[in-house]
Amino acid sequence: MASVKRTGPEEAPDTLTHLYLNPKNSSWANFGFWKDTGDYPTACRTLASLLGKKADLKPEQEVLDLGFGCGDQFFIWKEEFFLPFSHLTGINPSAVQVEFAKNLLNEKKEIPPKLICAPLEDTMSSFPKDSFDRILCLDSAYFFPDRVRFCEEAFRVLKPKGRLVSVELILKDGSFGILDSWFRNFVCKLSGIPLKNRVTPNSLFQILERTGFETENFEFLEGNVFGGFAKFLKEKTKPGQKEIPKRIAAKYASFGKFLGGERMKRYFQFVLYSAEKPISAPTNS
Protein backbone atom coordinates (compact mmCIF):
# COMPACT_ATOMS: atom_id res chain seq x y z
CA MET A 1 0.00 0.00 0.00
CA ALA A 2 1.39 3.38 -0.99
CA SER A 3 2.55 5.70 1.73
CA VAL A 4 0.97 9.16 1.74
CA LYS A 5 1.86 11.89 4.21
CA ARG A 6 -0.87 12.63 6.76
CA THR A 7 -1.75 16.31 6.69
CA GLY A 8 -4.28 18.60 8.33
CA PRO A 9 -6.16 18.22 11.61
CA GLU A 10 -6.34 14.60 12.70
CA GLU A 11 -10.07 14.71 13.44
CA ALA A 12 -11.07 15.98 9.98
CA PRO A 13 -12.92 13.53 7.70
CA ASP A 14 -10.61 14.22 4.74
CA THR A 15 -7.26 13.01 6.12
CA LEU A 16 -5.63 9.57 6.35
CA THR A 17 -5.68 9.30 10.14
CA HIS A 18 -8.09 6.36 9.86
CA LEU A 19 -5.19 4.24 8.56
CA TYR A 20 -4.08 3.87 12.18
CA LEU A 21 -7.24 1.82 12.79
CA ASN A 22 -6.53 -0.55 9.91
CA PRO A 23 -4.14 -3.45 9.52
CA LYS A 24 -1.74 -3.51 6.59
CA ASN A 25 -3.41 -3.51 3.16
CA SER A 26 -6.66 -2.05 4.52
CA SER A 27 -7.82 1.56 4.50
CA TRP A 28 -11.44 1.56 5.63
CA ALA A 29 -12.95 4.67 7.20
CA ASN A 30 -16.53 3.95 8.24
CA PHE A 31 -18.31 3.09 11.50
CA GLY A 32 -18.72 -0.56 10.50
CA PHE A 33 -21.51 -3.06 11.18
CA TRP A 34 -20.39 -5.12 14.16
CA LYS A 35 -22.77 -8.07 14.23
CA ASP A 36 -20.82 -11.29 14.95
CA THR A 37 -17.40 -9.65 14.55
CA GLY A 38 -14.85 -7.63 16.49
CA ASP A 39 -12.63 -7.03 13.46
CA TYR A 40 -12.63 -3.54 11.96
CA PRO A 41 -12.12 -4.39 8.25
CA THR A 42 -14.78 -7.12 8.49
CA ALA A 43 -17.28 -4.70 10.07
CA CYS A 44 -16.55 -2.10 7.40
CA ARG A 45 -16.87 -4.61 4.56
CA THR A 46 -20.21 -5.73 5.96
CA LEU A 47 -21.51 -2.16 6.01
CA ALA A 48 -20.42 -1.66 2.39
CA SER A 49 -22.14 -4.93 1.45
CA LEU A 50 -25.37 -3.89 3.21
CA LEU A 51 -25.36 -0.67 1.21
CA GLY A 52 -24.85 -2.60 -2.04
CA LYS A 53 -27.71 -4.96 -1.22
CA LYS A 54 -30.01 -2.06 -0.33
CA ALA A 55 -29.14 -0.48 -3.67
CA ASP A 56 -29.76 -3.76 -5.54
CA LEU A 57 -26.53 -3.21 -7.46
CA LYS A 58 -26.31 -4.73 -10.94
CA PRO A 59 -23.34 -4.97 -13.35
CA GLU A 60 -25.01 -2.84 -16.02
CA GLN A 61 -25.76 0.14 -13.76
CA GLU A 62 -23.96 3.48 -13.83
CA VAL A 63 -23.04 4.24 -10.21
CA LEU A 64 -21.90 7.45 -8.50
CA ASP A 65 -20.13 7.02 -5.14
CA LEU A 66 -20.01 10.24 -3.09
CA GLY A 67 -17.35 10.75 -0.43
CA PHE A 68 -15.66 7.46 -1.31
CA GLY A 69 -12.80 7.73 1.19
CA CYS A 70 -9.93 5.53 0.03
CA GLY A 71 -12.14 3.32 -2.15
CA ASP A 72 -12.03 -0.05 -0.34
CA GLN A 73 -15.75 -0.50 -1.06
CA PHE A 74 -15.09 -0.51 -4.83
CA PHE A 75 -13.62 -4.00 -4.49
CA ILE A 76 -16.58 -5.24 -2.41
CA TRP A 77 -19.08 -4.05 -4.98
CA LYS A 78 -17.05 -5.59 -7.78
CA GLU A 79 -16.67 -8.96 -6.03
CA GLU A 80 -20.20 -9.29 -4.60
CA PHE A 81 -22.31 -7.49 -7.21
CA PHE A 82 -20.04 -7.73 -10.30
CA LEU A 83 -20.07 -3.96 -10.70
CA PRO A 84 -17.23 -3.12 -13.14
CA PHE A 85 -14.99 -0.18 -12.33
CA SER A 86 -15.81 1.25 -15.75
CA HIS A 87 -19.37 1.85 -14.54
CA LEU A 88 -18.28 3.60 -11.35
CA THR A 89 -17.62 7.30 -10.76
CA GLY A 90 -16.41 8.62 -7.41
CA ILE A 91 -16.26 12.14 -6.00
CA ASN A 92 -14.17 13.06 -2.97
CA PRO A 93 -13.00 16.58 -2.03
CA SER A 94 -9.96 15.17 -0.18
CA ALA A 95 -6.88 15.29 -2.43
CA VAL A 96 -4.87 13.03 -0.12
CA GLN A 97 -7.57 10.33 -0.09
CA VAL A 98 -8.06 10.45 -3.87
CA GLU A 99 -4.30 10.12 -4.38
CA PHE A 100 -4.23 7.19 -1.96
CA ALA A 101 -7.12 5.46 -3.77
CA LYS A 102 -5.44 5.88 -7.15
CA ASN A 103 -2.17 4.48 -5.80
CA LEU A 104 -4.01 1.53 -4.29
CA LEU A 105 -5.73 0.72 -7.58
CA ASN A 106 -2.43 1.05 -9.46
CA GLU A 107 -0.73 -1.35 -7.04
CA LYS A 108 -3.49 -3.88 -7.65
CA LYS A 109 -3.08 -3.29 -11.40
CA GLU A 110 -6.75 -2.33 -11.69
CA ILE A 111 -8.10 0.09 -14.27
CA PRO A 112 -9.51 2.67 -11.88
CA PRO A 113 -13.02 4.06 -11.75
CA LYS A 114 -13.39 7.69 -12.74
CA LEU A 115 -12.20 9.40 -9.55
CA ILE A 116 -12.84 13.13 -9.19
CA CYS A 117 -11.24 15.31 -6.54
CA ALA A 118 -13.52 18.33 -6.22
CA PRO A 119 -16.31 19.84 -4.10
CA LEU A 120 -19.23 17.46 -4.21
CA GLU A 121 -22.24 19.60 -5.08
CA ASP A 122 -20.40 21.78 -7.62
CA THR A 123 -19.24 18.63 -9.41
CA MET A 124 -22.69 17.05 -9.36
CA SER A 125 -24.12 20.16 -11.01
CA SER A 126 -21.80 19.56 -13.98
CA PHE A 127 -23.32 16.14 -14.77
CA PRO A 128 -26.17 15.97 -17.31
CA LYS A 129 -29.60 15.06 -15.98
CA ASP A 130 -30.47 11.35 -15.91
CA SER A 131 -26.80 10.28 -15.76
CA PHE A 132 -26.80 7.56 -13.08
CA ASP A 133 -28.78 4.51 -11.99
CA ARG A 134 -27.50 4.65 -8.40
CA ILE A 135 -25.99 7.25 -6.11
CA LEU A 136 -24.28 5.64 -3.10
CA CYS A 137 -23.13 7.28 0.13
CA LEU A 138 -21.20 4.97 2.45
CA ASP A 139 -21.10 6.71 5.84
CA SER A 140 -20.44 10.05 4.15
CA ALA A 141 -23.61 12.07 3.51
CA TYR A 142 -23.61 13.83 6.89
CA PHE A 143 -20.39 15.63 5.92
CA PHE A 144 -21.93 17.21 2.80
CA PRO A 145 -22.34 21.02 2.97
CA ASP A 146 -26.08 21.38 2.32
CA ARG A 147 -28.60 18.52 2.47
CA VAL A 148 -31.33 20.23 0.46
CA ARG A 149 -29.02 21.17 -2.40
CA PHE A 150 -27.46 17.71 -2.39
CA CYS A 151 -30.85 15.98 -2.63
CA GLU A 152 -31.92 18.29 -5.46
CA GLU A 153 -28.76 17.54 -7.44
CA ALA A 154 -29.04 13.81 -6.73
CA PHE A 155 -32.62 13.82 -7.98
CA ARG A 156 -31.63 15.66 -11.15
CA VAL A 157 -28.73 13.40 -12.16
CA LEU A 158 -30.52 10.13 -11.37
CA LYS A 159 -32.32 8.33 -14.16
CA PRO A 160 -36.04 7.58 -13.69
CA LYS A 161 -36.27 4.59 -11.30
CA GLY A 162 -32.75 5.44 -10.16
CA ARG A 163 -32.01 5.37 -6.43
CA LEU A 164 -30.15 7.42 -3.87
CA VAL A 165 -28.96 4.93 -1.24
CA SER A 166 -27.16 6.00 1.91
CA VAL A 167 -26.03 4.61 5.23
CA GLU A 168 -25.15 7.40 7.63
CA LEU A 169 -25.19 9.08 11.00
CA ILE A 170 -28.18 11.36 11.65
CA LEU A 171 -29.60 13.23 14.62
CA LYS A 172 -32.35 11.65 16.66
CA ASP A 173 -35.85 13.12 16.70
CA GLY A 174 -37.06 14.39 20.05
CA SER A 175 -37.20 17.35 22.39
CA PHE A 176 -34.01 18.41 24.15
CA GLY A 177 -33.27 20.93 26.83
CA ILE A 178 -30.94 23.86 26.32
CA LEU A 179 -27.88 22.03 27.64
CA ASP A 180 -28.47 18.87 25.58
CA SER A 181 -29.21 20.90 22.44
CA TRP A 182 -26.04 22.95 22.91
CA PHE A 183 -23.94 19.87 23.59
CA ARG A 184 -25.27 17.95 20.58
CA ASN A 185 -24.59 20.95 18.33
CA PHE A 186 -21.09 21.14 19.81
CA VAL A 187 -20.50 17.46 18.99
CA CYS A 188 -21.75 18.02 15.43
CA LYS A 189 -19.46 21.01 14.96
CA LEU A 190 -16.50 19.12 16.42
CA SER A 191 -17.24 16.18 14.12
CA GLY A 192 -17.44 18.32 10.99
CA ILE A 193 -21.20 17.98 10.39
CA PRO A 194 -22.32 21.25 8.73
CA LEU A 195 -25.28 23.16 10.17
CA LYS A 196 -27.29 22.78 6.93
CA ASN A 197 -26.84 19.02 7.06
CA ARG A 198 -27.98 18.19 10.59
CA VAL A 199 -31.05 16.10 9.82
CA THR A 200 -33.29 13.83 11.86
CA PRO A 201 -35.30 10.91 10.43
CA ASN A 202 -38.35 13.17 10.19
CA SER A 203 -36.62 16.14 8.55
CA LEU A 204 -34.63 13.90 6.19
CA PHE A 205 -37.79 12.13 5.06
CA GLN A 206 -39.47 15.49 4.44
CA ILE A 207 -36.52 16.79 2.40
CA LEU A 208 -36.49 13.66 0.24
CA GLU A 209 -40.26 13.81 -0.25
CA ARG A 210 -40.25 17.52 -1.16
CA THR A 211 -37.46 16.89 -3.65
CA GLY A 212 -39.62 14.30 -5.40
CA PHE A 213 -38.17 11.03 -4.12
CA GLU A 214 -40.26 8.02 -3.12
CA THR A 215 -38.68 6.79 0.11
CA GLU A 216 -38.85 3.38 1.75
CA ASN A 217 -38.95 2.93 5.51
CA PHE A 218 -35.64 3.71 7.18
CA GLU A 219 -33.62 0.89 8.71
CA PHE A 220 -31.93 1.85 11.97
CA LEU A 221 -28.63 0.03 12.51
CA GLU A 222 -27.15 1.74 15.56
CA GLY A 223 -27.66 -1.37 17.71
CA ASN A 224 -24.96 -3.09 15.65
CA VAL A 225 -22.85 0.01 15.02
CA PHE A 226 -22.19 2.29 17.99
CA GLY A 227 -21.36 -0.28 20.65
CA GLY A 228 -19.15 -2.42 18.42
CA PHE A 229 -17.10 0.50 17.15
CA ALA A 230 -16.79 1.90 20.68
CA LYS A 231 -15.49 -1.43 21.97
CA PHE A 232 -13.01 -1.66 19.11
CA LEU A 233 -11.69 1.87 19.77
CA LYS A 234 -11.32 1.07 23.47
CA GLU A 235 -9.19 -1.97 22.67
CA LYS A 236 -7.23 -0.17 19.97
CA THR A 237 -6.29 2.72 22.27
CA LYS A 238 -5.40 0.81 25.44
CA PRO A 239 -2.40 2.21 27.35
CA GLY A 240 0.80 0.70 26.01
CA GLN A 241 -0.39 0.40 22.43
CA LYS A 242 2.36 1.61 20.11
CA GLU A 243 0.63 1.58 16.73
CA ILE A 244 -1.16 4.92 17.19
CA PRO A 245 0.59 8.16 18.23
CA LYS A 246 -0.48 9.19 21.72
CA ARG A 247 -2.22 12.41 20.70
CA ILE A 248 -4.30 10.68 18.02
CA ALA A 249 -4.98 7.70 20.31
CA ALA A 250 -6.31 10.08 22.96
CA LYS A 251 -8.80 11.56 20.47
CA TYR A 252 -9.96 8.12 19.35
CA ALA A 253 -10.29 7.00 22.96
CA SER A 254 -12.38 10.07 23.82
CA PHE A 255 -14.61 9.51 20.79
CA GLY A 256 -15.00 5.82 21.65
CA LYS A 257 -16.06 6.69 25.19
CA PHE A 258 -18.73 9.06 23.91
CA LEU A 259 -19.80 6.61 21.20
CA GLY A 260 -20.48 3.90 23.76
CA GLY A 261 -22.26 6.22 26.19
CA GLU A 262 -25.87 7.14 26.85
CA ARG A 263 -25.63 10.57 25.22
CA MET A 264 -24.74 9.00 21.88
CA LYS A 265 -27.87 6.85 22.08
CA ARG A 266 -30.02 9.86 22.95
CA TYR A 267 -28.55 12.21 20.35
CA PHE A 268 -27.85 10.13 17.24
CA GLN A 269 -29.00 7.22 15.08
CA PHE A 270 -27.42 5.30 12.21
CA VAL A 271 -29.75 4.83 9.26
CA LEU A 272 -29.81 2.88 5.99
CA TYR A 273 -32.32 4.04 3.39
CA SER A 274 -33.16 4.04 -0.31
CA ALA A 275 -34.99 6.85 -2.12
CA GLU A 276 -36.18 6.34 -5.70
CA LYS A 277 -36.77 8.84 -8.47
CA PRO A 278 -40.16 7.91 -9.96
CA ILE A 279 -40.70 7.48 -13.68
CA SER A 280 -43.18 10.34 -13.69
CA ALA A 281 -40.65 12.77 -12.14
CA PRO A 282 -40.33 16.20 -13.85
CA THR A 283 -37.30 16.36 -16.14
CA ASN A 284 -35.69 19.65 -15.12
CA SER A 285 -32.45 20.65 -16.80
Side-chain angles (χ1 to χ4, degrees):
M1 183 173 291
S3 175
V4 181
K5 183 179 179 182
R6 295 175 173 83
T7 59
E10 282 80 3
E11 67 274 9
D14 60 352
T15 69
L16 292 175
T17 308
H18 60 275
L19 295 182
Y20 289 118
L21 301 179
N22 284 270
K24 187 177 180 181
N25 298 323
S26 177
S27 51
W28 289 101
N30 65 59
F31 272 78
F33 187 80
W34 296 86
K35 186 176 181 180
D36 301 325
T37 187
D39 178 68
Y40 184 56
T42 299
C44 292
R45 284 195 297 268
T46 302
L47 193 65
S49 179
L50 287 173
L51 184 66
K53 289 175 183 175
K54 188 72 171 179
D56 190 26
L57 287 182
K58 306 287 189 204
E60 66 274 11
Q61 294 167 348
E62 292 295 330
V63 175
L64 177 62
D65 182 5
L66 299 178
F68 61 81
C70 290
D72 297 62
Q73 64 271 22
F74 300 157
F75 300 96
I76 301 302
W77 298 336
K78 181 181 179 183
E79 292 167 7
E80 291 193 19
F81 307 102
F82 307 103
L83 181 68
F85 287 167
S86 60
H87 285 208
L88 185 58
T89 300
I91 305 175
N92 187 343
S94 169
V96 70
Q97 290 181 1
V98 173
E99 180 185 357
F100 189 96
K102 288 180 177 179
N103 288 339
L104 175 64
L105 288 157
N106 286 336
E107 287 179 1
K108 292 181 177 291
K109 303 188 185 305
E110 295 278 3
I111 298 174
K114 183 180 180 182
L115 302 182
I116 303 170
C117 180
L120 180 142
E121 288 155 356
D122 292 342
T123 306
M124 288 181 70
S125 67
S126 70
F127 293 129
K129 65 181 181 181
D130 302 345
S131 293
F132 298 99
D133 298 287
R134 297 290 185 268
I135 295 176
L136 304 183
C137 305
L138 177 60
D139 197 7
S140 61
Y142 50 102
F143 292 125
F144 300 167
D146 186 324
R147 180 68 63 148
V148 172
R149 186 184 172 197
F150 159 63
C151 287
E152 289 172 349
E153 285 298 327
F155 190 83
R156 185 184 67 83
V157 302
L158 278 169
K159 300 175 185 178
K161 301 298 288 182
R163 298 185 199 174
L164 165 63
V165 188
S166 178
V167 61
E168 59 177 286
L169 184 72
I170 60 173
L171 280 63
K172 198 168 185 177
D173 281 310
S175 299
F176 296 93
I178 295 175
L179 182 60
D180 274 327
S181 295
W182 176 88
F183 191 77
R184 185 166 73 167
N185 284 332
F186 173 74
V187 172
C188 288
K189 184 177 181 180
L190 192 66
S191 303
I193 304 174
L195 184 61
K196 289 185 177 181
N197 201 4
R198 297 175 191 174
V199 294
T200 66
N202 185 50
S203 66
L204 176 56
F205 184 86
Q206 290 180 9
I207 291 169
L208 291 166
E209 190 176 56
R210 286 197 302 267
T211 305
F213 283 107
E214 295 178 349
T215 308
E216 301 174 359
N217 291 334
F218 294 167
E219 295 181 43
F220 295 102
L221 309 181
E222 59 267 18
N224 286 304
V225 174
F226 295 162
F229 195 27
K231 184 178 179 181
F232 166 73
L233 289 175
K234 183 179 180 180
E235 290 294 318
K236 193 72 177 176
T237 57
K238 276 183 177 180
Q241 297 282 356
K242 296 181 179 180
E243 297 128 348
I244 307 178
K246 288 183 179 180
R247 184 163 58 96
I248 296 173
K251 291 183 177 181
Y252 275 131
S254 178
F255 175 61
K257 186 176 181 180
F258 176 75
L259 186 62
E262 289 303 313
R263 272 183 163 170
M264 187 70 187
K265 295 176 185 177
R266 285 195 288 123
Y267 292 168
F268 297 99
Q269 292 180 282
F270 204 79
V271 64
L272 172 64
Y273 65 91
S274 174
E276 184 170 283
K277 178 177 178 177
I279 293 177
S280 59
T283 55
N284 298 324
S285 300

